[in-house]
Amino acid sequence: MMPSQANVEGNIHGGEIMKIMDSCAYAVTRRYARTNVVTARVDELQFHQPIKVGDLVICSAKIVFAGNTSMEVYVNVQVEDLRSHTPPLPALSAYFTMVALDRNSKPAHIPPLEINTNEEKKDFEAGKARYASYKAKRQHEKK
Ligand SMILES: CC(C)(COP(=O)(O)OP(=O)(O)OC[C@H]1O[C@@H](n2cnc3c(N)ncnc32)[C@H](O)[C@@H]1OP(=O)(O)O)[C@@H](O)C(=O)NCCC(=O)NCCS
């Protein structure tokens, strides 16, 4: 992380990392959907560890749930202090909901998510429950 991304104390602005997370969620879902995707929602964003100038940030993202046109992605950020030999530490995490769009910017169907392990099944079911609760909330807000 660079000095231009930090405050006067040398801490990196949260928004800088959130932008990296958004890009990471975009890349993973754009690759999966093979069409344009947009961010519709961010949930459970947590800052576990401060990030300083000179730290290495490692961002990874995994699709945990896929609906008809939307995907939920778990985005995980680790931070590594390159001035020490300390292993990377958990820094931020969040769930991003990304929606696939067709050429007319209308929600586009995506392939069903392949589930191979028990852990993936557990994550999928948890994602499905959150998806159902967001849908119910949106329906309620529309009334
Ligand atoms: C996201 C967006 C395309 C949804 O459009 P919409 O006409 O409301 O679409 P729908 O109601 O048909 O929903 C499409 C899918 O998105 C999901 N979705 C839409 N808004 C959502 C929200 N706020 N939270 C969670 N899921 C949402 C729906 O559940 C649905 O999923 P499914 O097809 O898997 O069942 C539209 O709201 C949009 O363009 N938002 C702005 C996105 C953007 O510009 N992001 C960058 C921010 S700078």
Side-chain angles (χ1 to χ4, degrees):
M1 300 308 295
M2 297 294 165
S4 61
Q5 297 170 302
N7 65 20
V8 289
E9 298 298 324
N11 286 318
I12 303 303
H13 293 293
E16 296 281 350
I17 311 296
M18 286 154 68
K19 188 174 180 212
I20 295 172
M21 294 170 85
D22 193 36
S23 299
C24 201
Y26 171 84
V28 167
T29 51
R30 177 66 182 80
R31 188 185 194 193
Y32 180 78
R34 299 283 160 175
T35 186
N36 186 28
V37 295
V38 286
T39 310
R41 181 181 192 101
V42 183
D43 292 274
E44 295 183 37
L45 177 65
Q46 295 186 65
F47 295 82
H48 310 287
Q49 190 79 27
I51 299 175
K52 296 276 194 184
V53 171
D55 285 348
L56 179 72
V57 159
I58 305 152
C59 188
S60 60
K62 187 175 195 274
I63 301 172
V64 290
F65 172 79
N68 302 310
T69 66
S70 68
M71 297 150 274
E72 189 186 54
V73 191
Y74 178 67
V75 183
N76 184 39
V77 176
Q78 291 187 303
V79 60
E80 186 171 338
D81 178 357
L82 299 180
R83 288 151 296 221
S84 76
H85 292 283
T86 315
L89 296 169
L92 281 83
S93 57
Y95 290 95
F96 282 68
T97 300
M98 312 295 288
V99 179
L101 299 180
D102 64 17
R103 285 172 182 274
N104 300 313
S105 297
K106 298 284 175 216
H109 276 271
I110 48 166
L113 191 62
E114 200 179 300
I115 305 291
N116 294 312
T117 66
N118 283 338
E119 198 187 340
E120 286 173 353
K121 190 170 190 305
K122 213 173 110 198
D123 290 345
F124 184 89
E125 291 304 326
K128 193 175 176 179
R130 284 188 294 270
Y131 162 84
S133 88
Y134 305 148
K135 257 201 192 305
K137 211 169 162 195
R138 285 186 79 222
Q139 285 295 341
H140 183 73
E141 283 167 1
K142 276 182 189 168
K143 281 179 191 164

